């Protein structure tokens, strides 16, 4: 049975009145009043360290938020997910991506059957294949080793492997260049095909459904390109698939012996742990891929066993809810201070926004409250010279997650010190701010006269009191990255559980797909229907006219 609506929860009501005072608190004061705030509101889990002390809360706030989590039955919902219950109600599916990273000794049941065997058989298949490709034993049509791997997939079938391959660049195999083609914009595929040679390229067609139009169009185009110089018999050495749809894979012309399966209980945005992670295993090898899975599993164990008040995903989720539902913060920034994590904000965008960008509850009622925020971001320090102006002086309250690795994979110590100094300085500046008296004093100290100082100082004021979390990794490794991704997966889960929404479907992507299909027939020359609105009709007409 569904718990009552989120906004009807007693703790939600208590938080509403608590917010009346809390909105006026200053974090500077909170730190002054509580010298142990850093040690009290920080914790370690699965090799990650989280400092959440720079948030606008006291122990009372936290207690109420934890009460909210209990009233919303987060623990029972978590246990249902791990036990294989079909919590993705609209698709009647279990949600068991956590089974993909469980050790083989652990039983993971679905409908009474242990799915561990199938999971580990696929891992073994991936390992055998990637070992051959990496060693050079897997030969292409002309007897040469593979030098380039092109992953063709979109959404979760692209973002996960692309992000992880980028983040784990120092672990990558020297001979194998990884390429990712997602967009139906032909510029994406054309640019990659211009850089690779058919005889030494391996294509992975990555699609859970094997029906996604963008992926199918790119896959067929890549196949045609390959067949310009190679024979159909050669396809088996150059095209493999990661999918749940064996029939469609065979119809495409890929030998199902070259298909790496996964299952409907793995959501697209949670699939990097599955066969969709094949590019990652090819890049870093099966041993490191094992550490990646183990890091995520360590976070799973923490999530399942730590009390709520010491549970990292739960605490991150509750801080987010505090800002989203009480301070009305509409967006949340992800700022990784690590160049190799360039794609991490985009990855989290899909994870969070496709999961919790919903306005109905699991039982089809209006949520009556704000749900998932807009997730955005860019690596630091680049971001500081772009949008941080808005974070510091803009009119919105935008919480930030800073993410940094303490040990780099390079030896440029000065760079690393400057990077970390900037990361820590930003959270300090966001919290502390600078008041008018300080800004004026600085102007005067620089020799400005009173009039000049009075005119300039207001522009140099920072309101401060802007919240952030800081996540520190000892180093960016397969294990810590695995733990970090799992942390955010569970954060998103907890928020969805509190809001009472199904975080595992994505009906919101359907309407655009349907309409694109109908517009495509018109752009391809079918008689114009003029059944669209005037704007859409006008745009179609202009596109058709431009061809003549
Ligand atoms: O359109 C959204 C979506 O279904 C995502 O959830 C998914 O990751 C992506 O498309 C790709 O789907 P597939 O792996 O089936 O091609």
């Amino acid at each position: 049975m569904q718990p009552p609506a989120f906004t009807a929860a007693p703790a939600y009501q208590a938080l509403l009145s608590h917010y009346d005072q809390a909105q006026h608190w200053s974090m500077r004061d909170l730190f002054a009043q509580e010298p142990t705030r850093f040690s009290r509101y920080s914790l370690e889990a699965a090799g990650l360290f989280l400092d959440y002390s720079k948030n606008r809360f006291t122990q009372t706030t936290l207690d109420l938020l934890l009460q909210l989590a209990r009233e919303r039955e987060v623990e029972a919902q978590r246990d249902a997910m791990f036990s294989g219950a079909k919590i993705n109600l609209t698709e009647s599916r279990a949600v068991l991506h956590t089974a993909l990273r469980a050790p083989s000794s652990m039983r993971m049941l679905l409908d009474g059957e242990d799915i561990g065997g199938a999971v580990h058989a696929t891992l073994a298949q991936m390992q055998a294949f990637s070992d051959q490709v990496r060693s050079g034993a897997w030969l292409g049509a002309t007897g040469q080793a593979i030098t380039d791997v092109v992953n063709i997939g979109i959404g979760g079938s692209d973002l996960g492997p692309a992000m992880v391959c980028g983040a784990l660049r120092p672990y990558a195999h020297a001979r194998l260049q990884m390429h990712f083609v997602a967009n139906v914009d032909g510029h994406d595929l054309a640019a990659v095909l211009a850089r690779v040679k058919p005889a030494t390229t391996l294509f992975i067609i990555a699609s859970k459904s094997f029906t996604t139009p963008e992926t199918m169009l790119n896959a067929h185009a890549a196949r045609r390109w390959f067949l310009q110089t190679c024979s159909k018999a050669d396809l088996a050495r150059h095209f493999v698939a990661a999918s749940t749809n064996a029939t469609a894979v065979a119809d495409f012309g890929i030998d199902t012996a070259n298909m790496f399966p996964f299952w409907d209980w793995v959501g697209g945005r949670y699939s990097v742990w599955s066969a969709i992670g094949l590019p990652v295993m090819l890049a870093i090898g099966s041993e490191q891929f094992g550490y990646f899975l183990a890091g995520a599993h360590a976070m799973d164990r923490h999530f399942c066993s730590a009390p709520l008040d010491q549970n990292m995903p739960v605490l991150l989720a509750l801080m987010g809810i505090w800002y989203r539902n009480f301070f009305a913060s509409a967006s949340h920034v992800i700022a990784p201070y690590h160049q190799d994590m360039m794609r991490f904000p985009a990855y989290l965008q899909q994870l969070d926004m496709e999961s919790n960008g919903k306005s109905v509850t699991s039982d089809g009622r209006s949520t009556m409250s704000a749900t998932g925020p807009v997730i955005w971001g860019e690596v630091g320090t680049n971001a500081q010279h772009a949008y941080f102006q808005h974070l510091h002086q803009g009119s919105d309250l935008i919480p930030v997650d800073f993410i940094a690795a303490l040990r780099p994979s390079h030896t440029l110590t000065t760079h690393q010190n400057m990077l970390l100094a900037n990361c820590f300085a930003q959270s300090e500046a966001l919290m502390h701010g600078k008041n008018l008296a300080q800004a004026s004093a600085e102007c005067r100290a620089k020799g400005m006269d009173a009039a000049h100082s009075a005119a300039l100082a207001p522009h140099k004021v920072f309101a401060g009191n802007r919240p952030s979390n800081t996540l520190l990794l000892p180093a960016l490794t397969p294990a810590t990255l695995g733990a970090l991704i799992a942390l955010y997966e569970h954060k998103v889960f907890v928020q969805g559980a509190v809001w009472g929404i199904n975080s595992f479907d994505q009906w919101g992507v359907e309407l655009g797909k349907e309409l694109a299909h109908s517009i495509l027939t018109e752009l391809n020359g079918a008689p114009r229907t003029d059944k669209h609105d005037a704007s859409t009709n006008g745009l179609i007409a202009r596109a058709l006219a431009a061809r003549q």
Side-chain angles (χ1 to χ4, degrees):
M1 197 185 69
Q2 274 289 310
F6 163 60
T7 48
Y12 174 86
Q13 297 299 328
L15 279 159
L16 266 187
S17 51
H18 177 72
Y19 170 75
D20 285 344
Q21 296 118 49
Q23 62 177 316
H24 304 296
W25 294 341
S26 127
M27 277 192 279
R28 279 200 208 200
D29 294 344
L30 297 178
F31 270 90
Q33 286 154 16
E34 195 175 17
T36 58
R37 194 172 166 85
F38 171 74
S39 54
R40 188 166 180 187
Y41 300 123
S42 59
L43 76 160
E44 273 183 78
L48 310 185
F49 174 82
L50 168 68
D51 168 19
Y52 64 104
S53 61
K54 289 194 185 95
N55 281 292
R56 292 167 67 168
F57 74 101
T58 61
Q59 188 60 43
T60 308
T61 323
L62 190 54
D63 290 343
L64 286 171
L65 287 165
L66 290 162
Q67 188 189 324
L68 179 67
R70 287 190 194 97
E71 286 173 10
R72 300 299 294 159
E73 300 177 358
V74 165
E75 286 155 297
Q77 294 195 57
R78 172 198 66 195
D79 296 347
M81 173 172 75
F82 277 85
S83 73
K86 301 216 161 89
I87 60 167
N88 177 355
L89 295 174
T90 60
E91 295 178 308
S92 270
R93 287 177 184 168
V95 175
L96 276 172
H97 48 277
T98 50
L100 299 167
R101 53 222 193 191
S104 53
S105 54
M106 200 170 138
R107 271 165 66 81
M108 299 293 281
L109 294 181
L110 176 63
D111 294 331
E113 287 192 17
D114 190 8
I115 52 175
V119 167
H120 285 275
T122 304
L123 278 172
Q125 185 197 357
M126 289 164 66
Q127 176 174 352
F129 178 69
S130 63
D131 284 354
Q132 284 190 60
V133 174
R134 286 166 60 85
S135 69
W138 181 278
L139 298 177
T142 58
Q144 298 175 72
I146 298 298
T147 58
D148 292 86
V149 177
V150 180
N151 189 79
I152 296 182
I154 198 164
S157 301
D158 164 68
L159 285 164
M163 181 277 283
V164 175
C165 284
L168 299 180
R169 183 188 49 80
Y171 294 82
H173 192 286
R175 176 172 30 85
L176 295 176
Q177 293 299 313
M178 312 305 292
H179 310 266
F180 292 88
V181 174
N183 203 338
V184 76
D185 178 352
H187 294 107
D188 198 4
L189 180 65
V192 171
L193 294 184
R195 292 204 297 274
V196 301
K197 296 189 178 66
T200 52
T201 299
L202 175 75
F203 290 93
I204 302 173
I205 314 302
S207 175
K208 179 178 170 182
S209 59
F210 227 78
T211 58
T212 303
E214 291 94 328
T215 301
M216 290 303 106
L217 190 67
N218 279 326
H220 281 286
R223 190 174 184 271
R224 279 196 303 278
W225 172 85
F226 180 80
L227 291 176
Q228 283 168 12
T229 49
C230 300
S231 72
K232 277 196 177 162
D234 297 332
L235 280 170
R237 310 298 299 172
H238 294 270
F239 278 75
V240 301
S243 185
T244 61
N245 187 348
T247 312
V249 168
D251 288 349
F252 177 84
I254 291 177
D255 185 344
T256 42
N258 290 340
M259 170 180 154
F260 299 84
F262 62 112
W263 306 275
D264 72 356
W265 40 265
V266 181
R269 52 196 174 273
Y270 300 88
S271 63
V272 69
W273 321 102
S274 73
I276 292 293
L278 184 61
V280 178
M281 197 190 272
L282 284 164
I284 68 174
S286 59
E287 190 182 354
Q288 295 297 338
F289 193 80
Y291 295 138
F292 175 60
L293 299 182
H297 179 66
M299 185 55 76
D300 294 342
R301 281 204 315 269
H302 165 79
F303 179 49
C304 285
S305 59
L308 295 189
D309 63 349
Q310 290 158 49
N311 197 308
M312 200 181 274
V314 171
L315 292 166
L316 266 191
L318 293 177
M319 286 298 131
I321 285 173
W322 181 225
Y323 298 117
R324 183 72 185 111
N325 296 109
F326 300 92
F327 288 80
S329 289
S331 79
H332 191 112
V333 161
I334 304 295
Y337 275 63
H338 199 303
Q339 186 61 25
D340 294 339
M341 293 182 75
M342 204 156 63
R343 299 287 284 149
F344 194 65
Y347 176 80
L348 286 194
Q349 251 171 7
Q350 185 196 16
L351 175 64
D352 199 319
M353 295 171 77
E354 204 174 57
S355 298
N356 286 344
K358 317 259 164 84
S359 318
V360 289
T361 58
S362 296
D363 56 359
R365 291 172 291 157
S366 162
T367 52
M368 308 288 282
S369 67
T371 55
V374 173
I375 302 293
W376 56 290
E378 169 64 271
V379 289
T381 60
N382 304 18
Q384 292 173 205
H385 300 273
Y387 62 78
F388 267 55
Q389 162 68 37
H390 186 112
L391 301 184
H392 286 289
Q393 290 189 317
S395 50
D396 302 301
L397 184 78
I398 304 178
V400 184
D401 286 358
F402 292 98
I403 303 170
L406 296 177
R407 284 193 312 278
S409 60
H410 57 72
T411 52
L412 303 167
T413 313
T414 318
H415 284 69
Q416 175 68 4
N417 288 345
M418 199 183 277
L419 180 79
L420 289 183
N422 273 278
C423 177
F424 301 161
Q426 288 301 323
S427 72
E428 187 177 27
L430 284 166
M431 181 184 87
H432 267 269
K434 187 186 283 182
N435 62 28
L436 186 61
Q438 291 171 307
S440 306
E442 270 179 24
C443 290
R444 297 307 295 266
K446 283 186 180 152
M448 287 176 210
D449 62 25
H452 190 183
S453 162
L456 188 57
H459 299 277
K460 291 178 156 264
V461 168
F462 292 69
N465 216 17
R466 299 190 175 209
S468 65
N469 299 303
T470 300
L471 275 159
L472 297 179
L473 284 53
L476 184 59
T477 65
T480 57
L481 182 64
L484 185 69
I485 299 170
L487 167 66
Y488 278 100
E489 285 178 353
H490 296 322
K491 173 202 162 176
V492 166
F493 172 82
V494 171
Q495 293 191 330
V498 169
W499 289 320
I501 58 185
N502 177 0
S503 300
F504 299 103
D505 58 12
Q506 56 281 321
W507 299 105
V509 301
E510 294 300 325
L511 180 57
K513 283 188 196 172
E514 282 163 28
L515 294 178
H517 181 72
S518 112
I519 293 172
L520 180 62
T521 59
E522 293 180 46
L523 291 180
N524 281 342
R528 296 283 314 283
T529 61
D530 279 345
K531 68 177 180 190
H532 311 281
D533 58 89
S535 161
T536 309
N537 279 330
L539 296 171
I540 294 170
R542 281 189 79 87
L544 288 171
R547 290 199 198 145
Q548 283 155 15

